[in-house]
Amino acid sequence: MLDIKSLKSYMYDVVGAIHEVHAELGAGLNESCYQEGLQFQLEEQGIPFIREQSFHPRYHGKEMQAVFRIDFLCKENIIVECKSVGELISAHRAQLFNYMRLLNKPCGIIVNFAPRNYDLERYFYDQETKNIITIDGDVFYNFKRSIPSH
């Protein structure tokens, strides 16, 4: 069972870095500007990260040729996906959820920098149950059923 309280605390400084980027850059820029700003902010705060990490999914234990790239992998276990769009939609969340599952990472953040007040959502992946869990501890998605639970 996931310890949501500990995982929220683990993500706190990364969320703070995201806030700093939006506070300085404001709304309405393109995604790459926010990604570069977040890179600078993570460096300034001394938060370990890898930007644009590529990986190959696996099928029946075999590495596929397909390549995916996550925006940031912070502190080895937090996937951060940056967007600059009108609003976050289910396809954006699905991208994050699949990255969390394929890389078996317990923490995911999706942030939309475009709005005046940025949108930030935090999720957790439970490897045992294959559930994506919200910050409130509710099951949001289950990979075994492949349908949203809402």
Side-chain angles (χ1 to χ4, degrees):
M1 179 146 212
L2 293 177
D3 182 352
I4 303 265
K5 185 176 179 180
S6 292
L7 291 173
K8 282 170 46 175
S9 177
Y10 178 68
M11 298 167 77
Y12 184 80
D13 53 351
V14 176
V15 172
I18 290 167
H19 174 77
E20 289 298 320
V21 170
H22 194 269
E24 181 160 332
L25 294 178
L29 300 175
N30 66 34
E31 188 176 306
S32 63
C33 290
Y34 296 112
Q35 288 173 338
E36 190 170 354
L38 184 55
Q39 177 179 334
F40 293 157
Q41 188 63 39
L42 293 168
E43 288 170 349
E44 285 179 22
Q45 289 183 227
I47 298 171
F49 71 92
I50 299 169
R51 183 173 174 192
E52 295 186 351
Q53 179 176 339
S54 298
F55 71 95
H56 298 274
R58 301 184 76 74
Y59 182 79
H60 290 175
K62 297 176 187 165
E63 189 173 275
M64 300 173 72
Q65 289 184 356
V67 178
F68 292 104
R69 184 172 291 118
I70 60 175
D71 292 338
F72 290 91
L73 179 62
C74 298
K75 299 166 73 171
E76 297 183 12
N77 285 307
I78 304 169
I79 295 173
V80 178
E81 280 300 306
C82 300
K83 303 294 179 197
S84 184
V85 294
E87 69 178 65
L88 292 175
I89 60 172
S90 60
H92 299 134
R93 291 178 190 93
Q95 178 186 24
L96 174 64
F97 298 166
N98 279 306
Y99 291 171
M100 293 168 72
R101 177 181 58 89
L102 292 169
L103 292 171
N104 194 29
K105 300 300 181 187
C107 302
I109 298 171
I110 187 167
V111 58
N112 182 13
F113 286 102
R116 189 169 146 223
N117 297 313
Y118 68 95
D119 296 326
L120 183 138
E121 298 175 6
R122 293 174 282 177
Y123 295 97
F124 307 100
Y125 174 62
D126 186 332
Q127 180 184 6
E128 275 185 41
T129 63
K130 305 292 186 227
N131 287 333
I132 294 292
I133 300 167
T134 67
I135 197 80
D136 297 321
D138 299 323
V139 174
F140 187 83
Y141 187 88
N142 180 278
F143 282 100
K144 289 180 183 175
R145 289 186 283 138
S146 296
I147 57 170
S149 57
H150 287 149

